[in-house]
Amino acid sequence: MLAGCLTAILSVAASSQRKESPPDVFLVTIDTLRADHIRCYGYERIQTPALDRLAQDGIRFAQAFTPSPITNTSHTSILTGLLPSSHGVTDFAVPLSPTYPTWADLLHQQGYHTAAFIGAVILDSKTLAPGLDRGFDYYDNFPQHSQTKSRWGRLERRGMDVVERAETWLSAHPQGPHFVWVHLYDPHDPYEPPAPYSQIYKDRLYDGEIAYADSALANFMGYLKKNRWYENSLIVVVGDHGEGLGEHHEDTHGIFLYDSTTHVPLILKTPRGAGGAKMKVVEAQVRTTDILPTVLDLTRNPAPARLDGESLRLYFTGTNADASERTVFGETDYPLRFGWAPLRSARGQGLKFIEAPRPELYDFRQDAMEVANQYEPWNVQVKRFRVMLAEIRAKAPPGGDSRASIGQTTIDELKALGYLGSADAGSATNVPQPSLLPDPKDKIEEQNLLHRAMIASEDGRDAAARDYLRNVLQLDPKSHNALRQLGELELRSGDYVKSAQHLNQALEVRPNDATAAFYRGQALEKTHDLPGARDALEASLKLMPGQIGARLLLGQVYLALKNAKAAEDQFEAILLLRPSSIEGRLGLSKAQIAEEHFNEAAQQLEALSKLQPRNADAFDLLAQAYSGLGKQAEAQRAEARAKLLRTLK
Ligand SMILES: [Zn+2]
């Protein structure tokens, strides 16, 4: 009797203790996933059993929207609960300011063990997504100097690879609570699902990628169940953005803010009993910025001071009567990369407004495809949406920390547009009206072709890439992007004369493009136009002084022009930028030898040859320096050593 009682008390104590321990939190983001291409969202032509099963166990949000159609911007919004204009990560490689805490930061502070597993370099925190690794104990970046030519392992990881890496980490770190983020990149183009999905969906490879990503999700959910982590965990699965698939003439995503690229799936499974989930499907319009506040709410953690989203708990507890739709805002600055106007949108009460040089208004209750533009400037709803967008603009932090550290190339490109280059850009007063730039609607075919050319180029299909780029030039003979890409392509393929011509034209359109000037310098050097190469490289370095590659080439060009003093300046500048540069040291000694400063050269090379005892070039130069000093025996020894090293190679 007593024993039975004790057991009962103990089990009550144990269960209440279990209840108090914070739940594991798992976030799975599936890239480029249109909500309307998933079975539980009504798409009958696909099998997505893992997503469907999770929706059965949890809550499915039928109308969830991302504020951004671009991967790193959208993920930053999911992880911070902030709009792009609030967190500032509106372009690739823009660091996330430490001002804004992420899921990982906030849960880590509460004792969570945190790890992230990414499926593409676009989210690599060492290159394209700096700051996104904040708060993670482990962030599974890509190898920095990948030897492989294949895109797998260098640019992308298959979903199954990503989940297996996450499972390995979890098995090695069983101590909870965990926050683990898994990013499945598969549905992103190019669409290359593995077998059997490549066969089953051979006419719809995008769907094949989704079905494959679903199988990776199934593997991960199976692992969580096997380890008894599933039941008591909070699981969120969400798309980062959709895919155009030709709607509005957009092949992929990034340029437009139509539902095709902003309507995403969102499925939330609460820990057993938490929040008393009643609603299985929420029809109200919600946002991916609402996810973080929901997670903090359900795990009873304090929210940060600034959030653009709100907890979704009301939608699935009790009645849904009070929970009205949330106004969805959309922002894309990606068109700026091409020199076109950025877009802003607001969606609510059956209407979608898109601010563009030619603004748009759609009544999506009657016009789900957003094709009948009803915009009129005096429309009351348009005025209301414009006020909302102006409020967001006014709240956005001035482009201080984050924008100042955009890569130099990006700054120069934007500067050439007169848009974001100056130090105090972001204050609305000195930003010219975006409406002065071309409307992306008029440019989308160009963007499709440029995108196809980039993919073809990456695959080594140069002829196809060339055709796409020529087609762009037929649409717009002054397309800087097409001219520059053609210049790069011909430089790689060895047609240096053509390369220089294209790059020359690109620089006429945009004279401040330091990278185009560097490529032009390379092409001219190959055609033996040394003064031309010198001028191009000097121009490039004036715009972007930190380019080591351009300085190395310029140093060599000066040596060939018999201007050893100018060459020496370049190599010395390289060694200031990167003291360990072997090429910089070799170049410097070459210049010293040309200036007959044999002593300095010999000293430099003796040190270098000790550091690099297998570097034949160092011994060759050492032989020249010794011979300049009249040390014939040493010179012969160094020369013999260089010869030996070359035969060993
Ligand atoms: Zn994406």
Side-chain angles (χ1 to χ4, degrees):
M1 180 66 195
L2 189 67
C5 216
L6 243 176
T7 315
I9 290 167
L10 280 176
S11 81
V12 166
S15 81
S16 75
Q17 211 172 29
R18 213 177 302 136
K19 227 176 190 171
E20 301 219 331
S21 70
D24 287 313
V25 177
F26 299 105
L27 166 66
V28 179
T29 57
I30 306 183
D31 217 286
T32 322
L33 184 54
R34 281 177 70 127
D36 61 359
H37 275 246
I38 299 167
R39 195 164 184 101
C40 61
Y41 277 79
Y43 187 56
E44 305 263 304
R45 302 176 70 199
I46 199 168
Q47 300 292 336
T48 49
L51 285 160
D52 306 348
R53 178 63 209 267
L54 194 71
Q56 254 173 35
D57 290 351
I59 303 125
R60 182 172 70 82
F61 291 85
Q63 299 292 325
F65 290 84
T66 171
S68 160
I70 284 289
T71 302
N72 60 332
T73 305
S74 164
H75 276 92
T76 308
S77 284
I78 293 168
L79 290 170
T80 58
L82 293 169
L83 286 170
S85 53
S86 300
H87 60 62
V89 182
T90 54
D91 199 355
F92 307 119
V94 179
L96 172 61
S97 160
T99 319
Y100 309 116
T102 66
W103 281 36
D105 280 329
L106 296 161
L107 293 179
H108 196 257
Q109 280 163 23
Q110 304 298 326
Y112 273 74
H113 301 275
T114 53
F117 299 86
I118 55 170
V121 283
I122 197 83
L123 294 174
D124 193 303
S125 69
K126 287 210 170 65
T127 52
L128 285 160
L132 224 52
D133 57 342
R134 215 159 7 87
F136 284 107
D137 298 322
Y138 180 71
Y139 194 97
D140 195 20
N141 278 326
F142 280 67
Q144 271 197 296
H145 303 287
S146 179
Q147 301 299 319
T148 169
K149 278 250 159 200
S150 152
R151 62 187 300 119
W152 306 112
R154 179 172 57 96
L155 302 172
E156 269 189 70
R157 288 179 186 131
R158 292 264 197 215
M160 211 56 96
D161 187 12
V162 177
V163 299
E164 278 168 5
R165 296 167 84 98
E167 291 165 12
T168 304
W169 185 88
L170 275 163
S171 296
H173 301 82
Q175 177 71 34
H178 303 100
F179 166 51
V180 172
W181 165 33
V182 169
H183 166 237
L184 305 177
Y185 189 69
D186 304 274
H188 197 285
D189 81 309
Y191 314 128
E192 292 166 349
Y197 305 94
S198 52
Q199 273 309 305
I200 304 170
Y201 297 93
K202 64 173 182 287
D203 304 322
R204 292 173 289 130
L205 291 173
Y206 171 62
D207 288 350
E209 292 273 29
I210 294 173
Y212 168 68
D214 185 84
S215 75
L217 178 69
N219 182 298
F220 190 50
M221 293 299 116
Y223 172 86
L224 295 183
K225 284 174 188 167
K226 199 179 76 196
N227 288 280
R228 299 177 177 280
W229 278 324
Y230 180 83
E231 187 90 336
N232 192 41
S233 61
L234 172 55
I235 301 176
V236 177
V237 178
V238 63
D240 68 338
H241 52 75
E243 186 79 320
L245 301 179
E247 288 177 26
H248 309 276
H249 302 284
E250 185 178 41
D251 284 351
T252 57
H253 56 268
I255 298 289
F256 289 149
L257 294 172
Y258 300 111
D259 287 1
S260 47
T261 60
T262 55
H263 181 204
V264 292
L266 170 60
I267 298 169
L268 182 90
K269 188 201 81 67
T270 56
R272 184 173 41 175
K278 283 186 185 159
M279 290 290 297
K280 299 295 278 183
V281 178
V282 174
E283 297 287 348
Q285 172 175 302
V286 301
R287 311 161 297 193
T288 61
T289 45
D290 296 325
I291 306 173
L292 172 61
T294 311
V295 169
L296 295 174
D297 186 3
L298 292 177
T299 55
R300 298 201 180 86
N301 282 309
R306 168 108 202 248
L307 281 171
D308 288 327
E310 285 176 72
S311 172
L312 297 168
R313 186 205 278 265
L314 253 191
Y315 289 99
F316 50 84
T317 54
T319 63
N320 191 33
D322 302 338
S324 55
E325 67 165 17
R326 306 252 166 100
T327 305
V328 164
F329 297 103
E331 306 179 348
T332 180
D333 286 354
Y334 187 54
L336 273 175
R337 286 217 146 212
F338 301 85
W340 311 327
L343 301 177
R344 297 290 181 266
S345 70
R347 190 187 200 277
Q349 300 189 332
L351 297 171
K352 163 97 116 340
F353 170 64
I354 301 172
E355 189 67 283
R358 281 183 288 116
E360 296 158 73
L361 183 72
Y362 300 102
D363 181 342
F364 56 79
R365 287 163 304 195
Q366 293 154 29
D367 174 21
M369 297 298 287
E370 303 169 283
V371 287
N373 185 2
Q374 303 187 7
Y375 171 78
E376 285 171 333
W378 46 84
N379 179 306
V380 181
Q381 298 295 340
V382 165
K383 286 184 183 165
R384 201 172 57 89
F385 283 133
R386 281 208 160 112
V387 169
M388 290 179 181
L389 292 174
E391 278 168 5
I392 291 174
R393 227 177 9 251
K395 270 200 293 182
D401 359 303
S402 61
R403 293 217 165 122
S405 39
I406 300 176
Q408 193 61 42
T409 320
T410 313
I411 287 181
D412 287 333
E413 283 176 358
L414 295 177
K415 215 191 281 175
L417 297 168
Y419 197 76
L420 202 71
S422 58
D424 53 353
S427 67
T429 46
N430 63 356
V431 175
Q433 282 299 311
S435 57
L436 294 178
L437 296 170
D439 192 312
K441 289 193 282 297
D442 299 327
K443 293 289 185 180
I444 191 66
E445 297 295 359
E446 279 180 43
Q447 202 270 336
N448 289 331
L449 289 164
L450 287 167
H451 184 85
R452 280 177 223 164
M454 282 186 264
I455 299 285
S457 227
E458 168 64 35
D459 276 2
R461 290 180 287 119
D462 282 357
R466 216 173 263 126
D467 285 348
Y468 291 133
L469 294 169
R470 286 202 191 109
N471 289 343
V472 177
L473 291 176
Q474 277 171 5
L475 295 170
D476 176 7
K478 283 186 179 299
S479 165
H480 171 264
N481 290 291
L483 291 165
R484 182 171 134 177
Q485 279 192 49
L486 269 171
E488 285 181 54
L489 197 155
E490 301 305 357
L491 182 62
R492 250 190 308 119
S493 75
D495 192 337
Y496 304 115
V497 174
K498 251 195 202 140
S499 169
Q501 281 168 358
H502 292 309
L503 292 163
N504 210 18
Q505 285 176 287
L507 284 158
E508 274 167 24
V509 180
R510 217 179 276 184
N512 286 347
D513 185 343
T515 309
F518 177 29
Y519 289 138
R520 183 160 170 267
Q522 294 177 49
L524 292 173
E525 192 264 342
K526 292 282 191 190
T527 63
H528 309 291
D529 176 357
L530 295 177
R534 174 198 60 206
D535 296 346
L537 293 166
E538 288 282 10
S540 174
L541 285 163
K542 206 167 176 185
L543 292 161
M544 210 201 280
Q547 303 173 86
I548 288 177
R551 287 205 186 275
L552 270 175
L553 185 58
L554 182 56
Q556 279 150 18
V557 167
Y558 273 126
L559 280 175
L561 285 166
K562 310 270 179 237
N563 187 344
K565 183 73 198 67
E568 191 177 344
D569 289 347
Q570 291 306 323
F571 295 121
E572 270 173 353
I574 291 165
L575 292 173
L576 276 178
L577 289 164
R578 191 182 293 162
S580 62
S581 166
I582 302 297
E583 283 163 305
R585 291 171 76 167
L586 286 172
L588 181 59
S589 7
K590 256 186 230 167
Q592 287 164 338
I593 289 167
E595 289 179 281
E596 303 191 352
H597 296 165
F598 299 119
N599 230 337
E600 285 171 37
Q603 275 174 19
Q604 168 91 248
L605 288 160
E606 276 163 5
L608 185 60
S609 58
K610 274 192 196 115
L611 202 70
Q612 298 243 305
R614 296 182 160 272
N615 191 323
D617 292 341
F619 285 97
D620 261 339
L621 288 169
L622 191 56
Q624 289 177 36
Y626 282 146
S627 128
L629 288 168
K631 298 182 173 176
Q632 293 314 330
E634 280 99 330
Q636 277 165 13
R637 247 197 324 268
E639 210 180 313
R641 172 84 188 163
K643 217 176 248 167
L644 178 69
L645 285 168
R646 290 229 158 80
T647 48
L648 287 176
K649 258 185 194 170

